[in-house]
Amino acid sequence: MKSIEVVYTPALLPLYDVKGKIVVVIDILRATSTMCVAFQTGVKRILPSGSPEECKIFKDFDFIISAERNAMKVEGFDMGNSPFEYQNPLLIGKSIAFTTTNGTKAIKLSQKMEAGEIVIGSFLNIEILCNWLLEQDKSIILLCSGWKDKYNIEDALFAGAVVSAIKQGFEIDCDAAISAENLYENNQNKLLEMVRKSSHARRFTLLNSQTDDVEFCLQKNICPVLPRMNGEYITL
Ligand code: MLT
């Protein structure tokens, strides 16, 4: 019987067997949300990079280079990690080399551990993601990116939303999955209120962020795209 497991941070992923399984990488604030916006806009491909230095190499190969560290755009890069930056039609057809504090790290780890398939999940593409997951005959790992290997509430809420939506077709023998499902089902009508209290929302406030990325990233199904790893690149 195919199973669903929730992994609350990348630090825990080595405890799981990912081979042959679908790993859904989750970074609601903001990498996977931003990636869904980028593909909805018409970006051609995204190269997840491990560091700003690695990312910069691709500037010479006609890539747009995007880097975020500690929730801030890295100096000297074309773009940061706010989803609002990726609504720009000038990005249509472009290749982006992209590194973020947590999300791209989770993607690279999933690759290194030879996950069967790696897909990008966010509230923005939750319906197309869940419909696709239900059509696959594979076990699933919902990998939360967290914050620097610590648990965060927004990724757990999303993981719970996915478990709640697709659980009928799967065996669930994972307390993290049961907990995430309960967290979501008990708070699904007040997600914004919940996430406004999160540590990452507080980081944005302290940074005096000019855009409300929290509210934006909690919208459901505004980006009906399914970005997936295709070799080294994320593409549709
Ligand atoms: C990320 O997306 O990796 C981080 O969670 C930080 C951010 O973009 O604010």
Side-chain angles (χ1 to χ4, degrees):
M1 178 85 168
K2 55 188 181 179
S3 63
I4 299 179
E5 295 168 293
V6 170
V7 181
Y8 280 132
T9 82
L12 296 171
L13 194 61
L15 302 176
Y16 295 77
D17 178 13
V18 303
K19 289 190 172 64
K21 294 179 183 173
I22 297 168
V23 173
V24 179
V25 178
I26 302 164
D27 189 355
I28 298 305
L29 296 175
R30 302 164 286 183
T32 58
S33 301
T34 295
M35 289 175 183
C36 289
V37 173
F39 284 106
Q40 178 70 16
T41 297
V43 159
K44 176 183 175 186
R45 60 186 179 171
I46 292 176
L47 179 68
S49 303
S51 67
E53 294 72 26
E54 180 187 311
C55 221
K56 260 193 174 158
I57 295 167
F58 293 89
K59 185 73 179 172
D60 297 336
F61 299 94
D62 198 29
F63 276 67
I64 287 170
I65 56 171
S66 301
E68 166 275 327
R69 286 295 183 270
N70 298 310
M72 295 180 287
K73 174 178 172 288
V74 176
E75 195 67 34
F77 282 77
D78 300 321
M79 303 173 81
N81 193 18
S82 171
F84 291 96
E85 296 177 80
Y86 293 79
Q87 295 177 313
N88 185 341
L90 293 176
L91 295 176
I92 294 173
K94 296 290 188 186
S95 297
I96 300 177
F98 195 20
T99 184
T100 71
T101 307
N102 306 288
T104 53
K105 177 182 164 189
I107 292 168
K108 302 287 283 182
L109 178 60
S110 302
Q111 274 182 300
K112 185 180 173 192
M113 291 181 61
E114 299 176 2
E117 187 136 17
I118 300 169
V119 296
I120 302 302
S122 73
F123 284 107
L124 309 187
N125 74 330
I126 188 169
E127 184 176 351
I128 190 172
L129 170 70
C130 288
N131 289 340
W132 181 80
L133 290 173
L134 284 168
E135 290 167 359
Q136 311 310 305
D137 190 23
K138 286 183 182 170
S139 290
I140 297 166
I141 286 182
L142 301 172
L143 174 59
C144 300
S145 300
W147 176 261
K148 296 185 179 179
D149 281 332
K150 291 180 182 172
Y151 171 96
N152 73 23
I153 198 164
E154 64 271 15
D155 292 352
L157 281 167
F158 177 78
V162 174
V163 173
S164 180
I166 69 171
K167 61 188 176 186
Q168 283 73 17
F170 295 83
E171 174 192 34
I172 301 180
D173 180 19
C174 170
D175 288 359
I178 296 165
S179 303
E181 179 192 4
N182 278 282
L183 179 70
Y184 174 75
E185 289 182 350
N186 291 327
N187 296 285
Q188 58 188 308
N189 299 319
K190 53 180 182 178
L191 291 181
L192 183 55
E193 179 188 337
M194 284 279 287
V195 180
R196 285 262 193 245
K197 297 173 193 166
S198 71
S199 53
H200 210 43
R202 286 199 302 275
R203 276 184 207 101
F204 291 140
T205 303
L206 289 172
L207 290 168
N208 192 27
S209 295
Q210 299 307 302
T211 53
D212 191 348
D213 292 5
V214 172
E215 185 166 27
F216 183 93
C217 293
L218 294 179
Q219 298 175 96
K220 290 186 178 178
N221 304 314
I222 63 165
C223 295
V225 293
L226 188 62
R228 298 158 65 174
M229 282 312 290
N230 182 2
E232 291 305 306
Y233 292 95
I234 303 168
T235 65
L236 288 187

